[in-house]
PDB file of all heavy atoms in Angstrom:
ATOM      1  N   THR A  10       0.863  -1.249  -0.024  1.00 97.00           N
ATOM      2  CA  THR A  10       0.011   0.081  -0.003  1.00 97.00           C
ATOM      3  C   THR A  10       0.829   1.219   0.054  1.00 97.00           C
ATOM      4  O   THR A  10       2.087   1.163   0.414  1.00 97.00           O
ATOM      5  CB  THR A  10      -0.871   0.055   1.270  1.00 97.00           C
ATOM      6  OG1 THR A  10      -1.763   1.216   1.212  1.00 97.00           O
ATOM      7  CG2 THR A  10      -0.098   0.025   2.583  1.00 97.00           C
ATOM      8  N   LEU A  11       0.315   2.327  -0.491  1.00 97.00           N
ATOM      9  CA  LEU A  11       0.912   3.633  -0.429  1.00 97.00           C
ATOM     10  C   LEU A  11       0.239   4.514   0.618  1.00 97.00           C
ATOM     11  O   LEU A  11       0.570   5.783   0.753  1.00 97.00           O
ATOM     12  CB  LEU A  11       1.127   4.357  -1.785  1.00 97.00           C
ATOM     13  CG  LEU A  11       1.943   3.773  -2.728  1.00 97.00           C
ATOM     14  CD1 LEU A  11       1.979   4.540  -4.031  1.00 97.00           C
ATOM     15  CD2 LEU A  11       3.324   3.479  -2.203  1.00 97.00           C
ATOM     16  N   ASP A  12      -0.688   4.016   1.420  1.00 97.00           N
ATOM     17  CA  ASP A  12      -1.384   4.768   2.393  1.00 97.00           C
ATOM     18  C   ASP A  12      -0.705   4.499   3.835  1.00 97.00           C
ATOM     19  O   ASP A  12      -0.744   3.286   4.315  1.00 97.00           O
ATOM     20  CB  ASP A  12      -2.899   4.214   2.566  1.00 97.00           C
ATOM     21  CG  ASP A  12      -3.734   4.908   3.588  1.00 97.00           C
ATOM     22  OD1 ASP A  12      -3.263   5.104   4.708  1.00 97.00           O
ATOM     23  OD2 ASP A  12      -4.740   5.370   3.093  1.00 97.00           O
ATOM     24  N   PRO A  13      -0.140   5.511   4.395  1.00 97.00           N
ATOM     25  CA  PRO A  13       0.560   5.281   5.695  1.00 97.00           C
ATOM     26  C   PRO A  13      -0.239   4.629   6.795  1.00 97.00           C
ATOM     27  O   PRO A  13       0.375   3.785   7.481  1.00 97.00           O
ATOM     28  CB  PRO A  13       0.920   6.799   6.110  1.00 97.00           C
ATOM     29  CG  PRO A  13       0.939   7.595   4.806  1.00 97.00           C
ATOM     30  CD  PRO A  13      -0.141   6.929   4.022  1.00 97.00           C
ATOM     31  N   ALA A  14      -1.515   4.900   6.915  1.00 96.00           N
ATOM     32  CA  ALA A  14      -2.215   4.343   8.032  1.00 96.00           C
ATOM     33  C   ALA A  14      -2.436   2.861   7.638  1.00 96.00           C
ATOM     34  O   ALA A  14      -2.385   1.957   8.648  1.00 96.00           O
ATOM     35  CB  ALA A  14      -3.593   4.878   8.069  1.00 96.00           C
ATOM     36  N   ILE A  15      -2.826   2.434   6.374  1.00 95.00           N
ATOM     37  CA  ILE A  15      -2.931   1.008   6.106  1.00 95.00           C
ATOM     38  C   ILE A  15      -1.538   0.328   6.264  1.00 95.00           C
ATOM     39  O   ILE A  15      -1.619  -0.921   6.645  1.00 95.00           O
ATOM     40  CB  ILE A  15      -3.472   0.827   4.649  1.00 95.00           C
ATOM     41  CG1 ILE A  15      -5.020   1.555   4.553  1.00 95.00           C
ATOM     42  CG2 ILE A  15      -3.558  -0.521   4.344  1.00 95.00           C
ATOM     43  CD1 ILE A  15      -5.458   1.511   3.228  1.00 95.00           C
ATOM     44  N   TYR A  16      -0.538   0.970   5.774  1.00 96.00           N
ATOM     45  CA  TYR A  16       0.860   0.301   5.917  1.00 96.00           C
ATOM     46  C   TYR A  16       1.103   0.004   7.441  1.00 96.00           C
ATOM     47  O   TYR A  16       1.592  -1.063   7.673  1.00 96.00           O
ATOM     48  CB  TYR A  16       1.791   1.320   5.384  1.00 96.00           C
ATOM     49  CG  TYR A  16       3.270   0.698   5.327  1.00 96.00           C
ATOM     50  CD1 TYR A  16       3.779   0.138   4.167  1.00 96.00           C
ATOM     51  CD2 TYR A  16       4.127   0.668   6.442  1.00 96.00           C
ATOM     52  CE1 TYR A  16       5.003  -0.416   4.058  1.00 96.00           C
ATOM     53  CE2 TYR A  16       5.417   0.179   6.404  1.00 96.00           C
ATOM     54  CZ  TYR A  16       5.826  -0.338   5.219  1.00 96.00           C
ATOM     55  OH  TYR A  16       7.062  -0.891   5.162  1.00 96.00           O
ATOM     56  N   GLN A  17       0.757   0.957   8.341  1.00 96.00           N
ATOM     57  CA  GLN A  17       0.943   0.737   9.694  1.00 96.00           C
ATOM     58  C   GLN A  17       0.224  -0.334  10.210  1.00 96.00           C
ATOM     59  O   GLN A  17       0.707  -1.300  10.977  1.00 96.00           O
ATOM     60  CB  GLN A  17       0.726   2.088  10.482  1.00 96.00           C
ATOM     61  CG  GLN A  17       0.790   1.902  12.057  1.00 96.00           C
ATOM     62  CD  GLN A  17       1.948   2.420  12.654  1.00 96.00           C
ATOM     63  OE1 GLN A  17       2.417   3.515  12.124  1.00 96.00           O
ATOM     64  NE2 GLN A  17       2.405   1.819  13.682  1.00 96.00           N
ATOM     65  N   ASN A  18      -1.018  -0.504   9.747  1.00 92.00           N
ATOM     66  CA  ASN A  18      -1.922  -1.487  10.250  1.00 92.00           C
ATOM     67  C   ASN A  18      -1.610  -2.941   9.668  1.00 92.00           C
ATOM     68  O   ASN A  18      -1.533  -3.914  10.417  1.00 92.00           O
ATOM     69  CB  ASN A  18      -3.346  -1.194   9.661  1.00 92.00           C
ATOM     70  CG  ASN A  18      -4.358  -2.244  10.201  1.00 92.00           C
ATOM     71  OD1 ASN A  18      -4.372  -2.626  11.381  1.00 92.00           O
ATOM     72  ND2 ASN A  18      -5.246  -2.615   9.311  1.00 92.00           N
ATOM     73  N   LEU A  19      -1.043  -2.999   8.474  1.00 89.00           N
ATOM     74  CA  LEU A  19      -0.672  -4.232   7.926  1.00 89.00           C
ATOM     75  C   LEU A  19       0.701  -4.687   8.492  1.00 89.00           C
ATOM     76  O   LEU A  19       0.865  -5.972   8.596  1.00 89.00           O
ATOM     77  CB  LEU A  19      -0.530  -4.082   6.395  1.00 89.00           C
ATOM     78  CG  LEU A  19      -1.865  -4.036   5.589  1.00 89.00           C
ATOM     79  CD1 LEU A  19      -1.625  -3.843   4.126  1.00 89.00           C
ATOM     80  CD2 LEU A  19      -2.660  -5.316   5.819  1.00 89.00           C
ATOM     81  N   THR A  20       1.547  -3.812   8.732  1.00 91.00           N
ATOM     82  CA  THR A  20       2.980  -4.247   9.052  1.00 91.00           C
ATOM     83  C   THR A  20       3.358  -3.962  10.560  1.00 91.00           C
ATOM     84  O   THR A  20       4.310  -4.581  11.073  1.00 91.00           O
ATOM     85  CB  THR A  20       3.943  -3.315   8.185  1.00 91.00           C
ATOM     86  OG1 THR A  20       3.972  -2.046   8.583  1.00 91.00           O
ATOM     87  CG2 THR A  20       3.816  -3.617   6.659  1.00 91.00           C
ATOM     88  N   GLY A  21       2.476  -3.190  11.220  1.00 92.00           N
ATOM     89  CA  GLY A  21       2.822  -2.904  12.601  1.00 92.00           C
ATOM     90  C   GLY A  21       3.841  -1.800  12.770  1.00 92.00           C
ATOM     91  O   GLY A  21       4.333  -1.635  14.018  1.00 92.00           O
ATOM     92  N   ARG A  22       4.301  -1.163  11.725  1.00 92.00           N
ATOM     93  CA  ARG A  22       5.205   0.019  12.007  1.00 92.00           C
ATOM     94  C   ARG A  22       5.055   0.974  11.043  1.00 92.00           C
ATOM     95  O   ARG A  22       4.398   0.820   9.955  1.00 92.00           O
ATOM     96  CB  ARG A  22       6.615  -0.665  12.022  1.00 92.00           C
ATOM     97  CG  ARG A  22       7.025  -1.145  10.472  1.00 92.00           C
ATOM     98  CD  ARG A  22       8.440  -1.764  10.571  1.00 92.00           C
ATOM     99  NE  ARG A  22       9.436  -0.860  10.884  1.00 92.00           N
ATOM    100  CZ  ARG A  22      10.644  -1.045  11.242  1.00 92.00           C
ATOM    101  NH1 ARG A  22      10.962  -2.448  11.397  1.00 92.00           N
ATOM    102  NH2 ARG A  22      11.496  -0.193  11.521  1.00 92.00           N
ATOM    103  N   ASP A  23       5.716   2.161  11.188  1.00 94.00           N
ATOM    104  CA  ASP A  23       5.548   3.342  10.388  1.00 94.00           C
ATOM    105  C   ASP A  23       6.787   3.320   9.485  1.00 94.00           C
ATOM    106  O   ASP A  23       7.824   4.079   9.726  1.00 94.00           O
ATOM    107  CB  ASP A  23       5.588   4.653  11.147  1.00 94.00           C
ATOM    108  CG  ASP A  23       5.404   5.898  10.286  1.00 94.00           C
ATOM    109  OD1 ASP A  23       5.129   5.772   9.182  1.00 94.00           O
ATOM    110  OD2 ASP A  23       5.706   7.028  10.819  1.00 94.00           O
ATOM    111  N   GLY A  24       6.853   2.432   8.387  1.00 96.00           N
ATOM    112  CA  GLY A  24       7.936   2.307   7.692  1.00 96.00           C
ATOM    113  C   GLY A  24       7.858   2.785   6.108  1.00 96.00           C
ATOM    114  O   GLY A  24       8.737   2.415   5.275  1.00 96.00           O
ATOM    115  N   LEU A  25       6.542   3.213   5.795  1.00 98.00           N
ATOM    116  CA  LEU A  25       6.415   3.527   4.404  1.00 98.00           C
ATOM    117  C   LEU A  25       7.364   4.479   3.723  1.00 98.00           C
ATOM    118  O   LEU A  25       7.910   4.213   2.593  1.00 98.00           O
ATOM    119  CB  LEU A  25       4.956   4.026   4.200  1.00 98.00           C
ATOM    120  CG  LEU A  25       4.508   4.387   2.809  1.00 98.00           C
ATOM    121  CD1 LEU A  25       4.723   3.152   1.796  1.00 98.00           C
ATOM    122  CD2 LEU A  25       3.049   4.957   2.814  1.00 98.00           C
ATOM    123  N   THR A  26       7.714   5.482   4.441  1.00 98.00           N
ATOM    124  CA  THR A  26       8.580   6.585   3.935  1.00 98.00           C
ATOM    125  C   THR A  26       9.993   5.868   3.682  1.00 98.00           C
ATOM    126  O   THR A  26      10.612   6.199   2.712  1.00 98.00           O
ATOM    127  CB  THR A  26       8.716   7.773   4.803  1.00 98.00           C
ATOM    128  OG1 THR A  26       7.401   8.349   4.904  1.00 98.00           O
ATOM    129  CG2 THR A  26       9.739   8.752   4.340  1.00 98.00           C
ATOM    130  N   ASP A  27      10.436   5.197   4.654  1.00 98.00           N
ATOM    131  CA  ASP A  27      11.733   4.555   4.451  1.00 98.00           C
ATOM    132  C   ASP A  27      11.787   3.589   3.342  1.00 98.00           C
ATOM    133  O   ASP A  27      12.811   3.394   2.652  1.00 98.00           O
ATOM    134  CB  ASP A  27      12.038   3.772   5.799  1.00 98.00           C
ATOM    135  CG  ASP A  27      12.440   4.805   6.901  1.00 98.00           C
ATOM    136  OD1 ASP A  27      12.870   5.879   6.635  1.00 98.00           O
ATOM    137  OD2 ASP A  27      12.211   4.292   8.091  1.00 98.00           O
ATOM    138  N   SER A  28      10.636   2.768   3.221  1.00 98.00           N
ATOM    139  CA  SER A  28      10.639   1.808   2.101  1.00 98.00           C
ATOM    140  C   SER A  28      10.691   2.509   0.741  1.00 98.00           C
ATOM    141  O   SER A  28      11.353   2.050  -0.218  1.00 98.00           O
ATOM    142  CB  SER A  28       9.335   1.052   2.134  1.00 98.00           C
ATOM    143  OG  SER A  28       9.347  -0.030   1.171  1.00 98.00           O
ATOM    144  N   LEU A  29       9.954   3.685   0.538  1.00 98.00           N
ATOM    145  CA  LEU A  29       9.973   4.391  -0.682  1.00 98.00           C
ATOM    146  C   LEU A  29      11.396   5.018  -0.906  1.00 98.00           C
ATOM    147  O   LEU A  29      11.827   5.095  -2.128  1.00 98.00           O
ATOM    148  CB  LEU A  29       8.837   5.519  -0.720  1.00 98.00           C
ATOM    149  CG  LEU A  29       7.466   4.893  -0.728  1.00 98.00           C
ATOM    150  CD1 LEU A  29       6.409   6.180  -0.512  1.00 98.00           C
ATOM    151  CD2 LEU A  29       7.123   4.175  -1.952  1.00 98.00           C
ATOM    152  N   LYS A  30      11.963   5.505   0.128  1.00 98.00           N
ATOM    153  CA  LYS A  30      13.311   5.983  -0.051  1.00 98.00           C
ATOM    154  C   LYS A  30      14.329   4.899  -0.435  1.00 98.00           C
ATOM    155  O   LYS A  30      15.209   5.181  -1.217  1.00 98.00           O
ATOM    156  CB  LYS A  30      13.921   6.634   1.272  1.00 98.00           C
ATOM    157  CG  LYS A  30      13.197   7.853   1.608  1.00 98.00           C
ATOM    158  CD  LYS A  30      13.699   8.463   2.990  1.00 98.00           C
ATOM    159  CE  LYS A  30      13.169   9.861   3.242  1.00 98.00           C
ATOM    160  NZ  LYS A  30      13.719  10.306   4.583  1.00 98.00           N
ATOM    161  N   GLY A  31      14.112   3.675   0.092  1.00 98.00           N
ATOM    162  CA  GLY A  31      14.934   2.610  -0.309  1.00 98.00           C
ATOM    163  C   GLY A  31      14.728   2.221  -1.729  1.00 98.00           C
ATOM    164  O   GLY A  31      15.702   1.962  -2.400  1.00 98.00           O
ATOM    165  N   ILE A  32      13.459   2.216  -2.219  1.00 98.00           N
ATOM    166  CA  ILE A  32      13.214   1.960  -3.671  1.00 98.00           C
ATOM    167  C   ILE A  32      13.941   2.909  -4.570  1.00 98.00           C
ATOM    168  O   ILE A  32      14.720   2.591  -5.603  1.00 98.00           O
ATOM    169  CB  ILE A  32      11.881   1.929  -4.051  1.00 98.00           C
ATOM    170  CG1 ILE A  32      11.038   0.782  -3.256  1.00 98.00           C
ATOM    171  CG2 ILE A  32      11.515   1.952  -5.514  1.00 98.00           C
ATOM    172  CD1 ILE A  32       9.536   0.902  -3.334  1.00 98.00           C
ATOM    173  N   ASP A  33      13.908   4.167  -4.220  1.00 98.00           N
ATOM    174  CA  ASP A  33      14.580   5.298  -5.074  1.00 98.00           C
ATOM    175  C   ASP A  33      16.091   5.074  -4.973  1.00 98.00           C
ATOM    176  O   ASP A  33      16.840   5.355  -5.936  1.00 98.00           O
ATOM    177  CB  ASP A  33      14.124   6.581  -4.635  1.00 98.00           C
ATOM    178  CG  ASP A  33      12.613   6.956  -5.157  1.00 98.00           C
ATOM    179  OD1 ASP A  33      12.138   6.341  -6.074  1.00 98.00           O
ATOM    180  OD2 ASP A  33      11.975   7.743  -4.414  1.00 98.00           O
ATOM    181  N   ALA A  34      16.649   4.744  -3.857  1.00 98.00           N
ATOM    182  CA  ALA A  34      17.936   4.611  -3.622  1.00 98.00           C
ATOM    183  C   ALA A  34      18.513   3.405  -4.589  1.00 98.00           C
ATOM    184  O   ALA A  34      19.597   3.436  -5.110  1.00 98.00           O
ATOM    185  CB  ALA A  34      18.360   4.257  -2.132  1.00 98.00           C
ATOM    186  N   ALA A  35      17.857   2.340  -4.612  1.00 98.00           N
ATOM    187  CA  ALA A  35      18.121   1.240  -5.456  1.00 98.00           C
ATOM    188  C   ALA A  35      18.117   1.568  -6.853  1.00 98.00           C
ATOM    189  O   ALA A  35      19.062   1.168  -7.698  1.00 98.00           O
ATOM    190  CB  ALA A  35      17.335   0.047  -5.186  1.00 98.00           C
ATOM    191  N   ILE A  36      17.155   2.414  -7.208  1.00 98.00           N
ATOM    192  CA  ILE A  36      17.048   2.858  -8.724  1.00 98.00           C
ATOM    193  C   ILE A  36      18.269   3.800  -9.018  1.00 98.00           C
ATOM    194  O   ILE A  36      18.869   3.608 -10.134  1.00 98.00           O
ATOM    195  CB  ILE A  36      15.742   3.693  -8.935  1.00 98.00           C
ATOM    196  CG1 ILE A  36      14.599   2.707  -8.779  1.00 98.00           C
ATOM    197  CG2 ILE A  36      15.748   4.238 -10.185  1.00 98.00           C
ATOM    198  CD1 ILE A  36      13.201   3.314  -8.806  1.00 98.00           C
TER     199      ILE A  36
END
């Protein structure tokens, strides 16, 4: 998901921003 609240609910943590930064870093 790209929804921060749903991401937190599914994963149990606030990591969406870090994940997106990681994707762009790999690119």
